[in-house]
Amino acid sequence: MNNKRTTQLNKKLKTFPPDVKDEFTKAKPHLEEYLTQQQLYEWVDSGIKIASQSNNAWDISVNMFRVSPIIIGSLKPDDFMKWLEAGTNLAIKHPMLGTAFFSSSPSLVQGMSSTNITDWASLGAQLYKDTWKSGTLSNRFFESSADLLEQLSFEELTRFVSFLDIVAKHSYDLSSECLTLALRLFPLVGEDKGRFISLSLNLVETGWRQLKAFYDASLKALPRVDRLQRKRFLDLSERLHLEGIINMPNTILEISQALQLIEKRDHCKLLDIAEPLLDLHPSSFSEFIKSSPIVLAKVSFDKLDAWCEEGKTLLKTNPDGGMAFFKIESSRSEKFLEEISSAVEFQTISNVIELYCRALAGEEIDLADSRDLVEKNIGWVAADSPTTEGSTVYLPETVDRYSKKSENFLWYKVVSTHQVGRMEFGSFRFRFDKPSTRFENTRNSLELKSTEGTNSNISATTDIQKFFNFFEDRQLSSDIFSVIEDGRVDAKVKDDYKGISKGYVSIQLDALKVRPNTQDLNAREALLELLVQISLGQKKSISVPKNYKEEALAIVKIARHAMDSRSSVEDTSEATVRIYAILIEVSNETVDEDDWDPLDFEEDESEGDNFSDPEGLKETLDSMGNSAGDDPADTQEDKYNSPQEVDYRGEFKPELTQLLEKLREQGQYKDGGNDTDSITQEMMDQFAKNSVELSQELNDGASGITSDEIVENMLKEVGLKKPESLEGGQGPLVHVDETGGELESDEPETFVYDEWDFRAGDYKPRWCIVRQKYMAEGEDSYYGSIVQSYGNLILQVRRQFELLVPETMRKERRLQDGEDIDIDDVIETMIDIKSGSSPNEKMYWRRNKVHRDVAVVFLLDTSASTAEAIDDSKSNSDQWNAPEDPVEYMLWLRSRRGEGTKRTYKRIIDLEKEALILLINAIEAIGDTYGIYGFSGYGRENVEFYTIKDVDELFSDRVKRRIDRIAPLHATRMGPAIRHSTSKLESIDARTKLLFMISDGRPQDRGYSREGVEKEYAVHDTRMALDEAKNKGINTFCLTVDRNGHDYLKTMMSDMGYEVLDDIYTLPHRLLYLYRKLTT
Amino acid sequence: MATKTSNSTKTLYQSYVIEEYHLKKEPYYVPVGDEIQLFEAAYSQRIPVIFKGPTGVGKTRFVEYMSWKLGVNLTKVKKEEKPGEERQQDNLPLVTIACHEDLTASDLVGRYLLEGDRTVWIDGPLTRAVKAGGICYLDEVVEARKDTTVLIHPLTDHRRMLPVEKKGELIEAADGFLLVLSYNPGYQSALKDLKHSTRQRFVSIEFNPPPREIEAQIVSHEANIDIDMAMRLAQLGEKIRNLKEHGLGEGASTRLLIYAGKLMAAGIKPRRACQVAVNWSVTDDHSLQNSIEEVTASIFE
């Protein structure tokens, strides 16, 4: 190096802080290896040039000098110089860019061509727009370049930067956020990043505001989508956007949520089906995908296609209907789904099967979802297999084992027949002392022996427990008992119910198909498996260990004898004793492949009743009691495992069931003080310790519950201990979004109704919840005061009404036929005959048997608008004008209601109440059946239905007090209220049924009446509800005080009766008049 | 002229004078409990009887059977006592009146009718039974109008008199007369219950569907089908009766089971026969029908 030049440079370098010099000195030796003298000078020059930019710029130089040795290692000297130049230029432009450039270079430049380096630098430069914010952006770009280039080709990077540039025009913050998000997104996008970038670009042009949301959404959505389908997913997202879907990011998020629920490999198929929808109706696309997991839970993909096609056809003719279809918010959709699905759901069949079970068992049997029993935590664990605990049959939620609905239904039927069979044929009614009918009794001798022995200290709560106590290996005895008892029940069912036996057998055969091969099992397990297969009606030969062929034959013989329709549960127990005696001698060892022999037992079939105990039974039984002395360690036995459960039989727990039953009895008689037989806590604990039915699960430890908890739960179950939180009340009002799905009535006194969607031309299933409650009670003096003030009128009305009654009792005379002849008429006739004129043949009389048989429901609109004052002086009316805006209106009303106490004016509701009181007086006089209800509510999940007087309730002071508390409440959702009233009237037997609605305006509620289409929606729904009532033979009448009522009432009531009251003060009179007219 | 033709033509239908109607053949009846002894005892003491029980369990059949049985006994007794004097009437007459809601006292007692230019009194069935001394069986008595009780009361206590108000007569009941009522406590509403003053003039015999074996025997005999089929029909009946508290107003009666059996005997497939004869007859409720359908399908192939 030229010394003069060197010193010159050194001098310059010294003007900067010492770090610069230090780094330079450190880097110089490395660079000297590669660079020419000239280049070296340029290098130093650049450093100096950068550092002299500004006061703090020396820092960049330091940086540059520091990274140079690393860069030079991976670049050719010429390229290095270009790099240096690009960096220098950037640093000159803005120090920050320089810093970013130099510090991110080491990780980047490797393998980059020289042009790329300059391009890269210029990309950064492109982002810098002489502002601080753009600087930051550019800075971030440099920092993340390395990561970006891992994902993108350089060309893609260029496009991405131009995208960022465009975004930056709108907002720098957004742009840099996009950059950050994109870093996390690119790995998710898959192969075609370019597609994603161009999608982003398009999005910027058409709706840059959604960009961030879109990025966020994609970030969450993409991992849920199958990797191969992500590009397609993005394409579809873009199309959705172009089709003008509002809030596209949210939509794709929802779609991805649905996709997440579906197997990844099926995504392609699903999108194939869904894609055509985009052409038809973009928003149906997303609805379809959102619904698809629900649909797919019921049907296969081919059927999904069919379902989609059905929706498409509907969509073409009726877009709203189509949308509702895809949302599964229309009856048609549900029905179609039901039609094409082969799965049978518990819900849909529970009614039929429940009655079926009750018919078979002759007991109050309930049906429930298996999960309910598991949730109770009283010892049952399998949530998807059928079982029973003595009073309830538990069935799995859905069955989709076969391709045909009828077969799936048959499965349900067979399963419940088996479960009921356990009850009907006494599986749980085992009595220890009852002799068996087909075996010699050995139980008593066992009992004798055990009392001599050591086992006597175990106390038994139930008979079945007592029985199991005799066996050392409880698990084995319990398994044998279960299999034989199930086999016995099967035999009994097949014999008693010939009609189902065919289906029964086919399901048994299906169960046989999935049984394990005996050769895969150890000896004892194999023999037990043999037992299971025999109980399922195995006809083929089964392999048994050679050494135990004798035993196997004996087992088959005993089992066949016990599993007979003539056997009782006591026979099962005897068979258990015998088989146990055989099996306990069989060591549970592995058997060599060659040591198996097929056992044919077809020929034994005809053996019939000639059953005799196998020889040597006595001895084996004798040895059972004191087998404790035997040394079990002499063979290398494996641990014994229970046989695999037979799916249609489910869990069988006679011990638990008997105990529960006993507890229940105890619960019922616990007031009687019958203590001698009662079950103590110790006994329960003992039970929990001994019973294998419990310990099985506890050993599994899956649920992490202790036996104590189970005992506790059992006590709760039978009602000996009350569950802690019983009172929940009505709970807080839950807001359910209008766009949400179906509702379920989960509380008592709530009812769910469909709602009519006139746009879709179909019902929205289970759309509204009506909450029925009694109106609170106030003072009964109110009633009295009204009666007093209307005193005269009431008397008058009463008389009028009473006149209606005698009419019905009057004798009808001059009839052609009747109870008896009227002697006066006869004489007249005789005279006619004598005098030669034609006689009147009508001489009979009959009592008029037209009873007055009227049931009426008054439905009172207690919506907020009834709080409006009735203007005494018409000129004053403007003052009370309600604000137009609904929100203000509600506020206004609330304030009005607050004034309640100092109210001097009369409100609509007051007049409604007065009219009501008059009416009650009148109706009581003629003895019609009547009910009075108020309705209000807000939102479809909170339709309040207040009982003031129930139809089957007698008029009392309580009713009077309730009337006092009638007050304006919320909105007016008429449809559900009408439907609920209709159902009330339906249950009453009366010749004339009348639904009388008193309202003050059009139906309105959240999502029911907003301006535009929903206003019509409400009117149409109400009309539909009224039509339904009419079809059920109920007359409807609507009386309104809304002077503008004619316009909508015409549509709403059409051919049904309605009246608009011009002068509200005529309401009481008019009501009475109308009532009389309508019911006669 | 008229007599000539009537001689040469056959009577197309069989008609009886009301009090002369009696059964010629022994009706088929299988006792379930001690109802025969009870009724015999009651009759011998002339204590009126109420039959309680659901429809189709054999109340009417029982009264027919008893009238036949008692009639036979009566004849026997008379023969023994006075061998020379044969009774005109071999059997006990049975007057059955199905009550309906328009049945009035005059329907039972009698009324004036016009004949030419005069009125003629015609005895009602009850009056005729009282005069003839037979069993008067008022079926579904609660359906009748309340004014009928006016007649029932004096007939059922020690008086044994029938007042005929319009004629101003009191008719003393003939020796053999006994009033038997039937009613079904199940389906009538509380409004249509018998008054205690009426009820307590009777002894009550309760009828319930017979146990499976006996019912099968009855069905087999009546419908002329084999006992195995009859057993299954009885099983079906039993199962359906289990549903009585679950929306079924009344269980399947033995009569319906016999109908089903008869249809089967005539070649209808068992499931179909049960559907039309039993299922659709016991209920209109669709879900209930479905359940019974399933029960039927389980019992019959």
PDB file of all heavy atoms in Angstrom, chain A residues 17 29 150 291 351 454 806 904 988 1037:
ATOM      1  N   PRO A  17     -14.434   8.614  15.739  1.00  0.00           N
ATOM      2  CA  PRO A  17     -14.182   7.890  16.997  1.00  0.00           C
ATOM      3  C   PRO A  17     -13.318   6.654  16.752  1.00  0.00           C
ATOM      4  O   PRO A  17     -13.328   6.100  15.649  1.00  0.00           O
ATOM      5  CB  PRO A  17     -15.595   7.465  17.443  1.00  0.00           C
ATOM      6  CG  PRO A  17     -16.495   8.432  16.810  1.00  0.00           C
ATOM      7  CD  PRO A  17     -15.855   8.888  15.550  1.00  0.00           C
ATOM      8  N   PRO A  29      -6.499  -6.762   6.921  1.00  0.00           N
ATOM      9  CA  PRO A  29      -5.712  -7.930   6.477  1.00  0.00           C
ATOM     10  C   PRO A  29      -6.522  -8.911   5.643  1.00  0.00           C
ATOM     11  O   PRO A  29      -6.019  -9.436   4.650  1.00  0.00           O
ATOM     12  CB  PRO A  29      -5.287  -8.578   7.799  1.00  0.00           C
ATOM     13  CG  PRO A  29      -5.473  -7.545   8.844  1.00  0.00           C
ATOM     14  CD  PRO A  29      -6.480  -6.592   8.366  1.00  0.00           C
ATOM     15  N   GLU A 150     -35.569 -16.683   1.548  1.00  0.00           N
ATOM     16  CA  GLU A 150     -35.654 -18.114   1.768  1.00  0.00           C
ATOM     17  C   GLU A 150     -36.942 -18.664   1.163  1.00  0.00           C
ATOM     18  O   GLU A 150     -37.021 -19.798   0.745  1.00  0.00           O
ATOM     19  CB  GLU A 150     -35.666 -18.404   3.279  1.00  0.00           C
ATOM     20  CG  GLU A 150     -34.391 -19.015   3.786  1.00  0.00           C
ATOM     21  CD  GLU A 150     -34.381 -19.077   5.287  1.00  0.00           C
ATOM     22  OE1 GLU A 150     -35.353 -19.639   5.844  1.00  0.00           O
ATOM     23  OE2 GLU A 150     -33.441 -18.537   5.886  1.00  0.00           O
ATOM     24  N   SER A 291     -71.547 -25.094   6.505  1.00  0.00           N
ATOM     25  CA  SER A 291     -72.489 -26.143   6.935  1.00  0.00           C
ATOM     26  C   SER A 291     -71.944 -27.537   6.692  1.00  0.00           C
ATOM     27  O   SER A 291     -72.436 -28.503   7.255  1.00  0.00           O
ATOM     28  CB  SER A 291     -73.801 -26.008   6.178  1.00  0.00           C
ATOM     29  OG  SER A 291     -74.369 -24.766   6.402  1.00  0.00           O
ATOM     30  N   ASN A 351     -88.301 -41.108  20.483  1.00  0.00           N
ATOM     31  CA  ASN A 351     -89.714 -41.198  20.835  1.00  0.00           C
ATOM     32  C   ASN A 351     -90.281 -42.583  20.576  1.00  0.00           C
ATOM     33  O   ASN A 351     -90.904 -43.188  21.445  1.00  0.00           O
ATOM     34  CB  ASN A 351     -90.513 -40.189  20.005  1.00  0.00           C
ATOM     35  CG  ASN A 351     -90.880 -39.003  20.828  1.00  0.00           C
ATOM     36  OD1 ASN A 351     -90.912 -39.111  22.060  1.00  0.00           O
ATOM     37  ND2 ASN A 351     -91.140 -37.902  20.189  1.00  0.00           N
ATOM     38  N   THR A 454     -62.972 -68.360  55.451  1.00  0.00           N
ATOM     39  CA  THR A 454     -62.550 -67.061  55.967  1.00  0.00           C
ATOM     40  C   THR A 454     -63.283 -65.901  55.316  1.00  0.00           C
ATOM     41  O   THR A 454     -63.162 -64.772  55.757  1.00  0.00           O
ATOM     42  CB  THR A 454     -61.043 -66.884  55.728  1.00  0.00           C
ATOM     43  OG1 THR A 454     -60.779 -67.250  54.379  1.00  0.00           O
ATOM     44  CG2 THR A 454     -60.242 -67.722  56.682  1.00  0.00           C
ATOM     45  N   PRO A 806    -129.248 -19.123  29.106  1.00  0.00           N
ATOM     46  CA  PRO A 806    -130.490 -19.883  29.066  1.00  0.00           C
ATOM     47  C   PRO A 806    -130.845 -20.357  27.674  1.00  0.00           C
ATOM     48  O   PRO A 806    -131.462 -21.401  27.510  1.00  0.00           O
ATOM     49  CB  PRO A 806    -131.540 -18.892  29.584  1.00  0.00           C
ATOM     50  CG  PRO A 806    -130.772 -17.872  30.313  1.00  0.00           C
ATOM     51  CD  PRO A 806    -129.462 -17.787  29.643  1.00  0.00           C
ATOM     52  N   THR A 904    -100.311  10.653  35.730  1.00  0.00           N
ATOM     53  CA  THR A 904    -101.702  11.071  35.874  1.00  0.00           C
ATOM     54  C   THR A 904    -102.500  10.727  34.624  1.00  0.00           C
ATOM     55  O   THR A 904    -103.712  10.610  34.669  1.00  0.00           O
ATOM     56  CB  THR A 904    -101.782  12.585  36.103  1.00  0.00           C
ATOM     57  OG1 THR A 904    -100.996  13.209  35.091  1.00  0.00           O
ATOM     58  CG2 THR A 904    -101.268  12.969  37.475  1.00  0.00           C
ATOM     59  N   ILE A 988    -106.988 -28.182  24.626  1.00  0.00           N
ATOM     60  CA  ILE A 988    -108.294 -28.094  25.286  1.00  0.00           C
ATOM     61  C   ILE A 988    -109.359 -28.658  24.375  1.00  0.00           C
ATOM     62  O   ILE A 988    -109.308 -28.501  23.158  1.00  0.00           O
ATOM     63  CB  ILE A 988    -108.627 -26.624  25.610  1.00  0.00           C
ATOM     64  CG1 ILE A 988    -107.594 -26.097  26.565  1.00  0.00           C
ATOM     65  CG2 ILE A 988    -110.020 -26.501  26.198  1.00  0.00           C
ATOM     66  CD1 ILE A 988    -107.678 -24.629  26.742  1.00  0.00           C
ATOM     67  N   PHE A1037    -108.890 -13.594  16.129  1.00  0.00           N
ATOM     68  CA  PHE A1037    -109.387 -12.247  15.949  1.00  0.00           C
ATOM     69  C   PHE A1037    -108.348 -11.276  16.507  1.00  0.00           C
ATOM     70  O   PHE A1037    -107.735 -11.538  17.536  1.00  0.00           O
ATOM     71  CB  PHE A1037    -110.717 -12.051  16.677  1.00  0.00           C
ATOM     72  CG  PHE A1037    -111.420 -10.796  16.274  1.00  0.00           C
ATOM     73  CD1 PHE A1037    -112.278 -10.785  15.180  1.00  0.00           C
ATOM     74  CD2 PHE A1037    -111.204  -9.614  16.962  1.00  0.00           C
ATOM     75  CE1 PHE A1037    -112.901  -9.615  14.795  1.00  0.00           C
ATOM     76  CE2 PHE A1037    -111.823  -8.443  16.569  1.00  0.00           C
ATOM     77  CZ  PHE A1037    -112.686  -8.451  15.484  1.00  0.00           C
TER      78      PHE A1037
END
